[in-house]
Amino acid sequence: MPSSHHAVLWIEHQTAHIVQFDAEHVQVDTVRTHHHHGKHPGHEEHGQTEFFNEICHSLEGIAEILVVGPHTEISDFKSFTEKHYPTITDQIVAYEPRNQGSEAQLVSMARDFFAQYDRIIKA
């Protein structure tokens, strides 16, 4: 499926699910950290940077993105995109702390969110 208008990003510590959807299709892409356990200073921060970079590259071309997940992860991702990916920051319409549900629940929640969001924007 080519890049769609809407997507929801579920982000947690080591995994991100990017769910692109339209009225008829759903496509899920998964990004995982490439964690190499090491004891070098800054190693974990470098791993997070690589993880966030990969997520941002996967989000390119999507018009509107809802970011959900545990508060700490979405806060860290928001800070990262504001500093390194202002274009992606502009594509993100909201950040919502949430517990993870099934893929179907995530898509349903995102469809409801964007239906309401689109009504407000067009009003």
Side-chain angles (χ1 to χ4, degrees), residues 11-98:
I11 187 168
E12 56 188 345
H13 183 64
Q14 296 182 358
T15 307
H17 302 283
I18 301 160
V19 183
Q20 296 183 63
F21 60 93
D22 59 24
E24 300 172 5
H25 304 94
V26 174
Q27 175 182 319
V28 180
D29 296 307
T30 301
V31 177
R32 298 189 196 295
T33 59
H34 304 287
H35 234 352
H36 306 288
H37 297 287
K39 297 185 180 184
H40 303 296
H43 179 77
E44 189 166 317
E45 183 178 323
H46 178 71
Q48 184 183 53
T49 298
E50 288 180 0
F51 178 52
F52 287 169
N53 278 325
E54 192 170 340
I55 293 168
C56 287
H57 289 294
S58 296
L59 295 173
E60 291 174 348
I62 301 171
E64 297 174 339
I65 304 161
L66 170 63
V67 179
V68 298
H71 186 271
T72 300
E73 281 77 4
I74 61 175
S75 178
D76 290 348
F77 184 72
K78 179 179 182 181
S79 296
F80 178 84
T81 58
E82 288 173 346
K83 184 175 180 180
H84 301 287
Y85 289 89
T87 303
I88 298 296
T89 300
D90 292 343
Q91 294 165 226
I92 296 171
V93 298
Y95 296 86
E96 292 194 9
R98 292 190 175 262

Side-chain angles (χ1 to χ4, degrees), residues 94-112:
Y95 296 86
E96 292 194 9
R98 292 190 175 262
N99 294 325
Q100 185 175 15
S102 69
E103 181 182 312
Q105 290 170 323
L106 193 59
V107 171
S108 176
M109 179 271 307
R111 286 187 196 277
D112 291 345

